[in-house]
Amino acid sequence: MLKLGELEASVMDVLWSATEPMRVREVLDELNQHRDLAYTTVMTVLDNLHRKGWVVREMENRAYRYTAVTSREEATAQTLRELLDAGGDRESVLLHFVRSTSEEESDILRKALRRKPRKR
């Protein structure tokens, strides 16, 4: 998965927070609560996100409605996977990461590891 630029990440945040597919105008309205963007800018960003595989779109009344392909959590997990794969010594990377976790995060990891089916 490719890294997102700042505006792409903002658009994805809007889509991840949405309860249904969104038109360009709806995404623009959300983003323009905190900035001043042009319709064509948001349309281009959504087109780029579609081309990169981050969003799917469906035509409805001559306008596309956009939906994120994965959840924010799935995208974050994929990014962590890519970082781990690129980090060289996986054991060392994982140990440094585990040392940086809070007690609550450590509990979550322990529970998840107990539930995870072992590869044979």
Side-chain angles (χ1 to χ4, degrees), residues 103-115:
E103 193 60 41
E104 179 185 5
E105 292 164 338
S106 293
D107 288 343
I108 292 168
L109 284 171
R110 276 191 285 281
K111 289 175 187 173
L113 288 171
R114 282 194 293 270
R115 288 192 308 258

Side-chain angles (χ1 to χ4, degrees), residues 9-42:
S10 295
V11 169
M12 289 305 300
D13 283 338
V14 169
L15 292 176
W16 281 324
S17 298
T19 57
E20 59 187 37
M22 298 181 76
R23 291 188 178 104
V24 175
R25 175 64 58 194
E26 296 166 324
V27 175
L28 175 68
D29 290 345
E30 285 294 317
L31 291 171
N32 277 348
Q33 291 181 27
H34 307 288
R35 50 195 344 162
D36 187 25
L37 298 169
Y39 180 92
T40 54
T41 300
V42 175

Side-chain angles (χ1 to χ4, degrees), residues 1 4 8-23 27 46 49-50 53-58 65-75:
M1 200 167 264
L4 296 175
E8 290 174 326
S10 295
V11 169
M12 289 305 300
D13 283 338
V14 169
L15 292 176
W16 281 324
S17 298
T19 57
E20 59 187 37
M22 298 181 76
R23 291 188 178 104
V27 175
L46 283 163
L49 289 168
H50 177 261
W54 283 86
V55 301
V56 292
R57 63 186 180 192
E58 185 176 323
R65 293 178 70 82
Y66 292 86
T67 306
V69 170
T70 63
S71 70
R72 180 190 319 264
E73 295 77 13
E74 290 168 321

Side-chain angles (χ1 to χ4, degrees), residues 89-107:
D89 180 357
R90 286 186 178 152
E91 181 179 356
S92 181
V93 171
L94 284 170
L95 289 174
H96 283 288
F97 175 75
V98 169
R99 285 188 203 113
S100 73
T101 61
S102 68
E103 193 60 41
E104 179 185 5
E105 292 164 338
S106 293
D107 288 343

